[in-house]
Amino acid sequence: MKTPSRLFLLTGAGVSAESGVATFRGAGGLWEGHRIEEVASPEGFAANPALVQRFYNDRRRLLPTASPNPAHLAIARLQREFPGRVTLVTQNVDDLHERGGSPEVVHMHGELLKARCVFCKRVRDWSGDLDEETRCGDCGGQLRPHIVWFGEMPLALDAIFEALGACDLFAAIGTSGQVYPAAGFVEMASRHGARCLEFNLESTATSPHFDESRTGPASRTVPAWVEELLECQDAEA
Ligand code: APR
């Protein structure tokens, strides 16, 4: 098998689950007691902005209580030590990859620690609460969480598609493969000739598109894989 030189890693809620951050598609399809559309759609925000701001305030406040787990640390090590290109794209809005030492992270679904003006669209760092009165310092528009909701366009898609077309190893870690466009990345990478590897606790909707699925907690399977990849590079050097 040819040694890979350009890696594309897609992570989802499963990579942060062992850090204590709740995944999305849990019991009954509820997200922390709410229907997803209620708290993760522009319509939900228009209908009840106070509820939506409170919901993300709660998630933001919980961030400091979670710590990166061995999967985050191993991914960061791979980014630092792999001699080729490593693109890390996450669907997660937490900052655990950054705190785990990842030098570059593409947050395609936004970030809890950022706020965006609904009017001028300026994005700024934000670590406190937001409410209906929180205004943009530039134009006075309302600030909302910098989160990509259902029906909105994910971020950085051009760069993502470019990296997907160029990668020779694609790995999806802790994602249920139910939300597009991320769920379609494996087919795109595979069409371009990449080997595709899945890490999950169980098989998913997209498992049939992968060349290999490694089952188990990401905190165990991902560090073992990273070790394997780096050893293989050392052996070749
Ligand atoms: N190790 C590996 N996989 C795990 C672990 C673990 N410790 N714990 C859970 N998983 C797997 C689950 O089996 C599931 O397949 O992680 C996946 C989490 O799936 P979801 O909760 O659907 O999260 P994700 O795929 O990231 O959701 C995608 O949907 O709600 C939107 O925008 C939101 O970014 C999110 C997107």
Side-chain angles (χ1 to χ4, degrees):
M1 196 189 308
K2 207 171 141 280
T3 318
S5 62
R6 290 178 306 279
L7 318 185
F8 188 111
L9 275 54
L10 171 70
T11 63
V15 82
S16 294
E18 291 167 81
S19 296
V21 179
T23 57
F24 301 95
R25 272 153 272 283
L30 293 184
W31 186 12
E32 302 281 318
H34 297 278
R35 282 183 300 111
I36 286 182
E37 316 79 70
E38 211 172 51
V39 290
S41 73
E43 294 76 20
F45 186 56
N48 194 343
L51 169 83
V52 175
Q53 297 283 30
R54 239 185 357 257
F55 179 80
Y56 290 97
N57 288 343
D58 290 346
R59 312 268 84 68
R60 201 178 297 109
R61 283 181 192 179
L62 282 175
L63 279 185
T65 67
S67 302
N69 69 57
H72 297 106
L73 302 183
I75 290 169
R77 176 179 171 215
L78 186 62
Q79 287 181 285
R80 284 194 310 268
E81 296 181 20
F82 189 74
R85 172 172 161 184
V86 183
T87 303
L88 171 61
V89 175
T90 187
Q91 298 166 88
N92 299 343
V93 297
D94 64 50
D95 62 342
L96 292 172
H97 281 304
E98 284 86 350
R99 283 199 276 135
S102 279
E104 274 182 61
V105 190
V106 178
H107 282 273
M108 65 178 289
H109 290 168
E111 291 172 72
L112 268 175
L113 291 175
K114 292 196 171 151
R116 183 167 81 237
C117 173
V118 298
F119 190 69
C120 73
K121 316 289 181 220
R122 183 173 159 199
V123 176
R124 64 194 79 217
D125 292 337
W126 200 268
S127 56
D129 284 352
L130 286 168
D131 62 34
E132 289 158 278
E133 307 308 318
T134 322
R135 297 283 147 185
C136 171
D138 294 325
C139 74
Q142 189 182 15
L143 289 186
R144 57 164 272 185
H146 184 48
I147 303 285
V148 176
W149 289 326
F150 284 93
E152 296 183 323
M153 185 68 97
L155 308 172
L157 283 182
D158 287 347
I160 290 174
F161 290 142
E162 192 272 321
L164 271 175
C167 73
D168 48 15
L169 179 59
F170 172 85
I173 302 165
T175 176
S176 59
Q178 294 193 42
V179 174
Y180 283 81
F185 289 176
V186 57
E187 283 176 85
M188 268 179 238
S190 178
R191 239 190 341 264
H192 283 99
R195 180 175 152 70
C196 298
L197 194 51
E198 178 179 50
F199 295 87
N200 206 298
L201 286 179
E202 56 193 24
S203 65
T204 67
T206 51
S207 293
H209 300 299
F210 287 86
D211 298 293
E212 186 187 342
S213 292
R214 297 192 183 185
T215 308
S219 65
R220 176 169 58 74
T221 55
V222 174
W225 171 63
V226 166
E227 192 66 47
E228 211 176 279
L229 261 180
L230 293 176
E231 261 174 24
C232 168
Q233 297 289 329
D234 286 346
E236 286 214 340

